[in-house]
């Protein structure tokens, strides 16, 4: 089979255009369901239609664009990712996977290739979970993995996800209809930036993902007693922020000195009443642990509950730890990994196996089909940051690997 190649200028042009939607001096603000997210989705839908794809939006708000295959009713080969970003995020997380997939389709058009299998490009709703802490929403809906909490989610502004979903063409009442059966797709491929330093440091242009991390997320409420900062004696306080600070340290200890899981983070905090002369009355924390081994996540959760009770006893504050989500880890298909390696080789690109420390829509899709992921280097390993950067050459390398992997799958799968 000849080596097929995408148009690098065209790909990087679309990356630049999408990167201008929701861009601010503080980074990308294309938060799921925001006006910028809606504009980003429309930009992508327009590209899909220009490429001749049949586009529909499912009840979970996922965009599904399909190119017909040659041989009757074969299952589709899907590619995709997301266009929402974290607050003050970067231009490449998610965008490279979506626009890389669209570029693959445009290249198939240019090359006059009609694949045996239908090809689908998928844009998943609310991958990041920023607003509702219900991450991988669209891909979990497609994989039949939604939970009651997804259907009932309400954001800090009091707006339900059902309402925001309706505005992008979804329907929470019928969201289960977004679920797809095993066998509808024969593979799901996701191109993504690595979001870590391994490829950048090693100088290897292509990462072949071996597995995707699991993640457990908590909402923590620390309830103390707001009181006057000048008159309340130190031994008569229930300082919620002081208790929270100990808990933040404990989350770090669980992942570091106690070595119970790979990483642990408190990335979010609200303080009430948040005034310099008031002993803090209540603190909310968003915390998470990640590890490929779900059992280690459950052990870390037990430890977090234990430490919380110790801190509560020592500070007089009440601490409520609520598990919001447990995202299962996923392994990628060995045979698809081999095809990614072979596709890279065909293009003269060196590759290496790499585990994913970030979460991806692919890990939900693993419940209904074989998955593979292609990583390209993140300069200086930066991501979820306005300084996130992947070179135009690396984006094109990734899309070329995606294209050639797709062609190999199309030839070899029955
Ligand atoms: C998704 O971007 C994650 O937090 O890993
Ligand atoms: Mn992300
Ligand atoms: Mn992503």
């Amino acid at each position: 089979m000849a080596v097929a190649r995408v148009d690098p200028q065209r790909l990087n042009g679309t990356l630049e255009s999408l990167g201008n939607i929701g861009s601010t001096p503080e980074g990308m603000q294309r938060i799921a369901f925001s006006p910028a997210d809606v504009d980003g989705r429309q930009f992508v839908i327009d590209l899909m239609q220009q490429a001749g794809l049949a586009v529909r939006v499912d009840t979970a708000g996922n965009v599904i664009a399909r190119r017909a295959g040659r041989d009757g009713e074969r299952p589709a080969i899907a590619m995709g990712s997301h266009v929402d970003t974290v607050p003050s995020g970067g231009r490449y997380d998610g965008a490279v996977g979506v626009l890389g997939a669209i570029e693959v389709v445009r290249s198939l058009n240019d090359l006059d290739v009609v694949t045996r299998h239908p090809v689908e490009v998928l844009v998943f709703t609310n991958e990041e979970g920023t607003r509702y802490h219900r991450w991988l929403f669209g891909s979990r809906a497609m994989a039949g993995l939604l939970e009651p909490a997804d259907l009932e989610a309400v954001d800090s502004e009091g707006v339900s996800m059902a309402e925001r979903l309706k505005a992008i063409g979804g329907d929470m009442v019928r969201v289960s209809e977004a679920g797809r059966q095993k066998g509808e797709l024969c593979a799901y491929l996701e191109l993504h930036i690595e979001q870590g330093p391994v490829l950048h440091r090693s100088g290897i242009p292509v990462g072949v993902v071996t597995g995707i991390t699991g993640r457990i997320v908590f909402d923590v409420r620390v309830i103390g007693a707001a009181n006057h900062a000048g008159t309340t004696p130190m031994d008569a306080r229930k300082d919620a922020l002081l208790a929270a600070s100990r808990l933040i340290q404990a989350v770090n200890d669980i992942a570091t000195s106690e070595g119970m899981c790979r990483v642990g983070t408190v990335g979010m905090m609200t303080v009430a009443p948040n005034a310099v002369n008031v002993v803090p009355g209540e603190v909310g924390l968003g915390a998470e642990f990640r590890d490929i081994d779900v059992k280690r996540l459950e052990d870390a959760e037990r430890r977090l509950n234990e430490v919380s009770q110790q801190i509560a006893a020592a500070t007089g504050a009440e601490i409520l730890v609520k598990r919001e989500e447990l995202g299962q880890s996923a392994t990628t298909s060995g045979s698809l990994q081999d095809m990614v390696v072979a596709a890279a080789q065909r293009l003269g690109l060196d590759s290496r196996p790499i585990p994913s420390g970030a979460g991806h829509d692919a890990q939900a899709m693993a419940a209904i089909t074989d998955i593979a992921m292609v990583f390209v280097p993140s300069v200086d390993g930066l991501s979820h940051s306005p300084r996130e950067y992947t070179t135009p050459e690396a984006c094109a390398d990734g899309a070329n690997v995606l294209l050639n992997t797709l062609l190999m799958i199309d030839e070899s799968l029955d």
Side-chain angles (χ1 to χ4, degrees), residues 82 86 93 127-129 135-136 192 195 213 215 288 290 356-360 363 383-384:
H82 59 100
V86 293
D93 175 1
E127 189 268 356
E128 299 286 5
W135 77 325
L136 308 181
H192 208 282
Q195 310 186 269
T213 191
R215 176 186 188 217
E288 60 156 62
R290 299 195 192 206
S356 175
H360 300 288
Q363 78 197 88
S383 185
H384 283 187

Side-chain angles (χ1 to χ4, degrees), residues 110-159:
D110 293 349
L111 295 165
D112 267 330
V113 172
V114 182
T115 49
R116 295 163 67 217
H117 301 77
V119 172
E120 289 190 8
V121 180
L122 308 175
V123 182
F124 293 108
T125 305
N126 194 13
E127 189 268 356
E128 299 286 5
T130 300
R131 207 193 284 272
Y132 292 95
H133 300 182
R134 307 303 308 171
W135 77 325
L136 308 181
F137 174 79
S139 47
R140 285 188 299 111
M142 193 174 283
L145 300 176
L146 288 185
E147 298 165 358
D150 292 298
L151 279 60
E152 291 151 15
V154 176
D155 67 15
S156 56
E157 292 161 22
V159 182

